[in-house]
C-alpha cells in the first residue's frame, strides 16, 4: 500500500490462536505469565538487579496501524488480533510494573519503522524480524536500559 516494495505475509489466524484470552488455555497462560513476572522481579530485587521486560509485537500487530491507515481490508482474525494483543501486553506490563520491573514495549518503534518503509519482516511465512527489525527493537530497549546503567 504505502510502500509497494514492502511485501509481508500475515498469519493472523495462527497468531490469534496463540493469543486470544477468550480461549481458556490462553487465559491460563497469561495468568501463569503474570505470576512468572512477579517471581522474576522478586528474584531480581533479592539479587540487587533491575529487571527490564521487553515486549516484542507479532508481525501482524506491528502492521495494524499501517493497515488501518491505508484502509486495507483485514480478515476478522487480524482485526481481533489488533485488539487482543495490545490488551494482553498492557495487562502483562501492568503486572511487571506492579512487581517493580521496568517495561519496554517495542511496538511503537516497529510501527514507526514500518511507516517509514523499513523492511522489518521477511516476505515469507517466517514471522521473525529481519536484522533491520531487530535493530529497531534493540534501539527502543537500549533507550530505556541505558539510563539504568
Amino acid at each position: 500500500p504505502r510502500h509497494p516494495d514492502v511485501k509481508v505475509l500475515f498469519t493472523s489466524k495462527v497468531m490469534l490462536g496463540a493469543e486470544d484470552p477468550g480461549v481458556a488455555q490462553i487465559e491460563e497462560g497469561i495468568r501463569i505469565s503474570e505470576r512468572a513476572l512477579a517471581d522474576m522481579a522478586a528474584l531480581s530485587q533479592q539479587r540487587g538487579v533491575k529487571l527490564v521486560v521487553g515486549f516484542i509485537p507479532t508481525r501482524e500487530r506491528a502492521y495494524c496501524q499501517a493497515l488501518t491507515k491505508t484502509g486495507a481490508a483485514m480478515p476478522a482474525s487480524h482485526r481481533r488480533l489488533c485488539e487482543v494483543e495490545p490488551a494482553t501486553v498492557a495487562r502483562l506490563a501492568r503486572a511487571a510494573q506492579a512487581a517493580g520491573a521496568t517495561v519496554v514495549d517495542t511496538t511503537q518503534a516497529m510501527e514507526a519503522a514500518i511507516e517509514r518503509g523499513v523492511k522489518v519482516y521477511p516476505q515469507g511465512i517466517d514471522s521473525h524480524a529481519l536484522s533491520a527489525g531487530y535493530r529497531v527493537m534493540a534501539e527502543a530497549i537500549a533507550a530505556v536500559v541505558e539510563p539504568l546503567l
Side-chain angles (χ1 to χ4, degrees):
R2 242 192 172 116
H3 301 280
D5 58 323
V6 177
K7 294 176 177 44
V8 179
L9 175 66
F10 298 112
T11 55
S12 310
K13 200 172 201 177
V14 172
M15 292 299 164
L16 181 60
E19 289 196 42
D20 192 344
V23 176
Q25 297 90 333
I26 303 302
E27 175 59 31
E28 179 60 18
I30 294 169
R31 283 194 298 270
I32 290 168
S33 296
E34 289 172 323
R35 288 192 304 270
L37 287 165
D39 291 345
M40 287 186 285
L43 185 58
S44 295
Q45 289 169 359
Q46 288 172 3
R47 295 190 175 171
V49 295
K50 183 74 174 164
L51 176 64
V52 178
V53 177
F55 290 97
I56 297 173
T58 61
R59 168 181 50 195
E60 290 73 14
R61 169 64 182 109
Y63 274 91
C64 288
Q65 180 177 304
L67 292 171
T68 300
K69 276 185 178 180
T70 61
M74 288 190 282
S77 58
H78 201 134
R79 288 191 310 274
R80 173 87 173 129
L81 187 68
C82 291
E83 297 167 4
V84 166
E85 189 169 327
T88 300
V89 168
R91 179 176 166 185
L92 293 172
R94 283 191 302 274
Q97 289 168 328
T102 297
V103 170
V104 185
D105 183 353
T106 63
T107 303
Q108 287 183 341
M110 291 295 276
E111 289 171 336
I114 289 165
E115 182 71 22
R116 292 190 309 273
V118 177
K119 291 182 182 180
V120 292
Y121 290 101
Q123 277 186 262
I125 197 163
D126 183 1
S127 63
H128 294 90
L130 295 171
S131 59
Y134 284 116
R135 175 175 297 285
V136 167
M137 292 183 279
E139 288 172 353
I141 292 168
V144 172
V145 171
E146 207 169 341
L148 300 175
L149 301 177

